Amino acid sequence: MSVIASNSRKEKEYAFTSRMSIMGLKTGGKYKPDNCISRSNVALIIPYRQRKFHLKIFLRYMHPFLQRQQLQYVVFIVEQSNGSAFNRGMLMNIGYQEALKQGSFQCFIFHDVDLLPEDDRNPYTCPENGRPRQMAYSIDIYDYRPTPKQHLGGVSAFTVTDFQLINGFSNLFWGWGSEDDDLYRRVVHHNLTVTRITDNEPAFANIVRYRMIDHRKEKSNPGRNLLLDGWKHRLINDGLSDLSYKKLHVLLTPLFTQITVDIQQTSQTSA
């Protein structure tokens, strides 16, 4: 376990929750700095299922991190109930749609629960329209080698306008893998430019490093490559436009807004 993860576990839960409340964190994981007007109102969307250990570390690390950047933000945990294989892309779409029912956001940061940014200078602010940001530039388990240019997984930021334009993530990728590759193709197809903060300043490479919390690898999707080959034919009818789910409950906890949903893999969503 990394030093970051270890340090994030030391404080007792009640003590941490109380400290966050004193710092201004509201029920539902909502924060707004009281000494300035934040330029970004961000919804952080985390897809989740049976990762309690990771979630505890993530929340204890990320709330202080985001507050040090003086961001206005809300943390949404989108939990998939037991049953079908995990569908990361669909959970991201659900988080986006449900968050917009609760407030007006300038942008969304789609974030895996097992990734932690190492440097406070890594900006979690909103990207420009037309320029979604790839944020997980390098990760410790890959010896901090830069991720490929086509990589749009792990952590990424979109304005509302851009995410709506590309019709969100595909809903068809059940199990691990390739939903982020499909997302990248949607972005390029709509003439959007994927950016990294290292584009104009390579020296910033040390700022956008991430630690990955140890975890068991998810079962991969055996049909992901075939699905990916047909990405262009699904652009209009696969994504936000055909999103279908059953909302089981919405729970406002001291540290996050939890949205639990039931999603089922049918012949229409697996072909």
Side-chain angles (χ1 to χ4, degrees):
M1 183 171 59
S2 71
V3 174
I4 288 178
S6 179
N7 289 340
S8 297
R9 297 181 66 210
K10 290 180 179 178
E11 191 173 9
K12 297 294 185 181
E13 183 174 353
Y14 175 77
F16 177 75
T17 301
S18 297
R19 181 162 64 87
M20 287 297 97
S21 178
I22 293 171
M23 294 299 294
L25 187 67
K26 306 299 183 184
T27 301
K30 303 175 183 179
Y31 180 80
K32 182 178 181 180
D34 59 7
N35 59 348
C36 69
I37 299 176
S38 178
R39 291 182 294 178
S40 295
N41 187 7
V42 183
L44 205 68
I45 307 296
I46 297 93
Y48 175 81
R49 183 167 68 178
Q50 298 177 339
R51 290 282 194 92
K52 187 175 181 179
F53 172 77
H54 298 89
L55 182 60
K56 178 179 180 180
I57 294 171
F58 181 87
L59 293 168
R60 292 185 176 206
Y61 184 82
M62 289 302 298
H63 276 302
F65 173 89
L66 295 167
Q67 291 169 17
R68 288 193 294 270
Q69 294 195 14
Q70 295 189 309
L71 297 172
Q72 181 176 346
Y73 69 87
V74 182
V75 174
F76 293 92
I77 305 299
V78 189
E79 181 174 14
Q80 180 178 338
S81 63
N82 291 332
S84 299
F86 192 68
N87 190 320
R88 178 178 179 270
M90 188 183 290
L91 293 178
M92 296 295 199
N93 287 341
I94 293 170
Y96 170 85
Q97 187 164 288
E98 289 294 324
L100 288 178
K101 295 177 182 178
Q102 298 197 25
S104 177
F105 297 95
Q106 294 168 282
C107 69
F108 285 73
I109 295 181
F110 301 99
H111 208 301
D112 286 349
V113 73
D114 53 18
L115 287 175
L116 303 175
E118 293 187 1
D119 197 308
D120 281 0
R121 294 171 294 176
N122 184 351
Y124 272 57
T125 52
C126 291
E128 301 174 28
N129 274 327
R131 298 172 62 82
R133 185 188 309 132
Q134 208 307 305
M135 300 173 65
Y137 176 78
S138 61
I139 305 172
D140 61 335
I141 63 167
Y142 304 122
D143 298 321
Y144 296 112
R145 291 188 298 271
T147 52
K149 288 287 186 182
Q150 297 80 14
H151 178 70
L152 201 52
V155 187
S156 57
F158 284 81
T159 64
V160 173
T161 299
D162 288 346
F163 197 67
Q164 199 71 41
L165 175 67
I166 66 171
N167 200 20
F169 283 82
S170 167
N171 295 318
L172 298 183
F173 289 87
W174 299 87
W176 180 86
S178 295
E179 78 287 332
D180 50 348
D181 298 315
D182 185 277
L183 183 71
Y184 178 82
R185 285 161 172 75
R186 292 171 179 239
V187 166
V188 173
H189 177 81
H190 286 91
N191 297 315
L192 305 181
T193 302
V194 176
T195 64
R196 303 179 178 191
I197 68 167
T198 56
D199 289 344
N200 298 320
E201 188 53 71
F204 287 172
N206 288 335
I207 293 176
V208 283
R209 290 183 167 194
Y210 282 78
R211 293 283 181 93
M212 180 174 284
I213 308 171
D214 293 339
H215 65 280
R216 175 176 52 84
K217 188 174 181 180
E218 297 286 343
K219 184 178 180 181
S220 62
N221 177 354
R224 64 188 185 278
N225 291 329
L226 183 62
L227 271 174
L228 191 59
D229 287 342
W231 68 272
K232 189 176 291 188
H233 304 292
R234 297 183 280 99
L235 278 173
I236 298 176
N237 299 317
D238 171 27
L240 296 173
S241 60
D242 74 330
L243 189 58
S244 177
Y245 59 96
K246 180 180 180 181
K247 183 165 58 178
L248 301 180
H249 68 255
V250 176
L251 178 64
L252 303 182
T253 80
L255 301 179
F256 57 90
T257 295
Q258 180 181 7
I259 302 165
T260 304
V261 297
D262 178 57
I263 53 178
Q264 296 296 326
Q265 186 171 354
T266 65
S267 57
Q268 286 77 31
T269 59
S270 59

